[in-house]
Amino acid sequence: MKLTAEVLRDLAEPSNVAVHSNSELAGDVRAAAADDDKQRKSKELDPLRRRPELQPIPAKDLNRLVQITPWEVLHTLGRSITLARRGAGRGLAEHWGCLKYNQALTGNPDSFMALSVEGRETADYYKALQSGELGTGFALALATRLLSMRYPDHFVSIAPADTALRAGWALTSRDSGPRSGYRYRPQFFAEVWRPGEPSRVLPIACKGNHSGLSTSHTQLASASAHVEAVQIGAWDETPCLVFSTELPLDGPLTVHTLEAGGKGGWLDAPGRFLDHALEDENVYPGIRPPTQGDRPMEPELGYHVSPDLYAWFQHALARTSAAGLTAFAGDGRATAPYLTKRQGQRHFTDLTHAATDSVQDARHRFLGIDFVGTDHVFRLNRKRVEAFSGVAEDLFRHLEEGQVKQYRHEIYARRSTWPRETWDPRWNGPVSVHPDGSVLAMRLLRD
């Protein structure tokens, strides 16, 4: 068993990540999709509509994405699940859920990241959860880096797709409004934006497995149906990213990824005042294909952000992202106003068990910046450790007061100024700071 201090040091250690994206992968995914279509036809199931022409990401882009710390992956995962409604014990089940992987990964600057001994020994019935959640962490971390590099004068925000879509569509039987009945959806949206300008939105589908390369081919083929379920603007013009992270029991983990281009995804409409509350819309589900001659086509299953919805959708994404940040800081009272009823506003106003709730009542200074948020104390290899998640105090005050516009102006202006250190000597533990102003930190508690 490792000493707790060693575990904390390992979390801050950068390591190389193997990223696989080439024309051979794209061809194998097309073959996997064709095979799945054949099997669905033999079972008399409806064919899936998939994003056509998934292409490799250019090598020049991937070569600059390859080094990351386990702690940054866990921070990214923790930020991604704060609105996931994983149960009444949300303080543990949601953003603290990432901490169960604090010994799952290993590596160093001279090697590729892989599963540790503990990560490999995860019980079989938890392996799918482990690969899926870690796959989310790696996918979103790489997607954010890729888009930030491609759009250097913009900011990249990640929003959970289900939460954002629920503001406009009824996704399940428990949602009010006309339901689409379509279970394929991207897991996340990446919004690439500048204050006061049209933003660009890319659907992201991410999966993970312990099985091998052929399973990643199948997962990427499935992901092509998930991203195709949301179209922004013209038919088949919405760019997207798909990921499958392969976590073998021997050898380095590999992130397999492809993308689809297109001229769409731009929310090109006069922006709404982001500080105003968002109301649930009842958008009729379905994506209308282009007409053939004079004959209109029947709508396809899915969700269409048409031009008349651009301003509303930009509003929904901004407030959903804000809700994820205040939830990460443990403040349910600040989170609820950013969500509509259908998005789960009540989830952040109902009482929860005192031992599992998260409360915004802690403050710390990391790398010269004051943060406010919530903390959690637990045992790691028999030693008590403290974890803290929060938001830079000045930014949190804007969010607490409903000032989304001001918050976004400030994070845009400060996007390249945040510290990049992975260890804070004063705190004495690993620290990850994201450009959105959020922080995740952990340290050994001294008696």
Side-chain angles (χ1 to χ4, degrees):
M1 180 185 295
K2 274 189 176 182
L3 295 175
T4 305
E6 288 182 281
V7 174
L8 298 183
R9 280 287 178 188
D10 288 347
L11 287 169
E13 187 80 3
S15 186
N16 298 295
V17 175
V19 185
H20 176 217
S21 186
N22 56 26
S23 56
E24 182 181 2
L25 176 65
D28 289 336
V29 171
R30 283 193 293 272
D35 185 58
D36 184 59
D37 290 340
K38 188 182 301 183
Q39 292 184 40
R40 292 181 67 85
K41 185 176 181 180
S42 69
K43 297 175 182 176
E44 300 183 346
L45 298 173
D46 291 334
L48 292 179
R49 198 180 72 257
R50 304 178 192 272
R51 186 69 170 94
E53 298 181 0
L54 289 176
Q55 300 293 330
I57 295 171
K60 64 180 178 62
D61 292 346
L62 294 181
N63 289 341
R64 298 168 62 184
L65 303 176
V66 293
Q67 204 163 71
I68 197 169
T69 68
W71 197 234
E72 183 182 345
V73 174
L74 298 191
H75 183 182
T76 303
L77 171 60
R79 277 284 289 110
S80 75
I81 60 179
T82 54
L83 299 178
R85 290 198 272 181
R86 298 192 174 203
R90 57 179 171 266
L92 296 179
E94 287 161 7
H95 59 270
W96 296 128
C98 66
L99 296 183
K100 60 181 174 283
Y101 302 118
N102 56 49
Q103 294 185 80
L105 299 169
T106 186
N108 60 63
D110 299 320
S111 68
F112 285 96
M113 197 174 290
L115 286 175
S116 65
V117 172
E118 179 171 294
R120 295 196 298 270
E121 291 178 350
T122 300
D124 286 345
Y125 41 86
Y126 287 120
K127 284 191 183 299
L129 177 65
Q130 181 196 60
S131 61
E133 291 192 325
L134 289 177
T136 294
F138 282 104
L140 296 183
L142 293 177
T144 302
R145 291 189 182 192
L146 174 67
L147 294 173
S148 297
M149 182 183 66
R150 288 181 171 177
Y151 299 86
D153 296 328
H154 290 70
F155 195 95
V156 179
S157 295
I158 301 292
D162 271 13
T163 306
L165 290 172
R166 270 200 168 90
W169 290 269
L171 302 186
T172 65
S173 57
R174 71 171 181 267
D175 299 328
S176 61
R179 190 161 59 92
S180 76
Y182 198 50
R183 69 183 184 87
Y184 287 88
R185 294 184 292 275
Q187 285 84 27
F188 298 93
F189 292 117
E191 182 193 8
V192 182
W193 58 270
R194 291 177 68 175
E197 296 185 10
S199 55
R200 195 174 205 191
V201 180
L202 294 85
I204 296 175
C206 43
K207 299 171 180 285
N209 70 84
H210 291 291
S211 303
L213 181 56
S214 61
T215 300
S216 285
H217 295 157
T218 303
Q219 288 187 333
L220 291 171
S222 172
S224 69
H226 285 273
V227 291
E228 181 70 356
V230 175
Q231 299 205 12
I232 300 167
W235 176 263
D236 273 344
E237 286 290 344
T238 306
C240 63
L241 294 164
V242 295
F243 296 88
S244 172
T245 300
E246 178 190 351
L247 297 111
L249 298 184
D250 53 345
L253 66 87
T254 303
V255 181
H256 306 281
T257 180
L258 296 169
E259 65 177 344
K263 298 177 182 178
W266 289 102
L267 301 179
D268 189 5
R272 306 210 293 190
F273 189 48
L274 300 181
D275 294 358
H276 287 169
L278 184 69
E279 299 292 336
D280 279 323
E281 299 284 344
N282 284 306
V283 183
Y284 199 80
I287 304 171
R288 191 168 295 280
T291 57
Q292 293 186 354
D294 296 330
R295 186 183 65 175
M297 301 292 289
E298 287 296 314
E300 299 277 0
L301 292 173
Y303 311 89
H304 189 190
V305 182
S306 53
D308 59 306
L309 295 174
Y310 286 172
W312 165 82
F313 195 53
Q314 190 177 47
H315 191 194
L317 288 172
R319 292 188 70 85
T320 300
S321 295
L325 270 169
T326 53
F328 191 65
D331 197 327
R333 186 165 52 183
T335 302
Y338 287 115
L339 300 173
T340 68
K341 182 178 179 181
R342 204 160 55 205
Q343 284 182 305
Q345 184 183 86
R346 192 179 70 178
H347 183 63
F348 291 93
T349 56
D350 288 349
L351 293 176
T352 59
H353 191 281
T356 61
D357 198 8
S358 55
V359 181
Q360 188 273 299
D361 62 355
R363 61 180 355 102
H364 290 289
R365 187 174 180 83
F366 302 106
L367 305 172
I369 302 170
D370 293 321
F371 290 86
V372 295
T374 186
D375 52 13
H376 175 50
V377 175
F378 63 103
R379 289 193 182 273
L380 175 59
N381 293 353
R382 301 179 181 174
K383 297 291 186 180
R384 293 171 71 237
V385 294
E386 173 187 11
F388 174 87
S389 66
V391 178
E393 184 169 12
D394 58 333
L395 297 175
F396 182 81
R397 297 306 169 209
H398 294 318
L399 294 172
E400 186 180 43
E401 295 168 10
Q403 299 172 348
V404 183
K405 181 180 178 181
Q406 183 64 31
Y407 162 77
R408 283 167 74 99
H409 270 281
E410 293 201 19
I411 61 168
Y412 176 79
R414 293 159 59 177
R415 65 191 183 280
S416 59
T417 66
W418 297 95
R420 298 183 180 182
E421 293 92 335
T422 61
W423 185 274
D424 186 332
R426 181 174 172 271
W427 165 261
N428 197 29
V431 174
S432 170
V433 179
H434 282 185
D436 61 7
S438 66
V439 67
L440 184 68
M442 191 160 68
R443 66 178 172 181
L444 183 65
L445 276 181
R446 301 296 182 185
D447 293 334

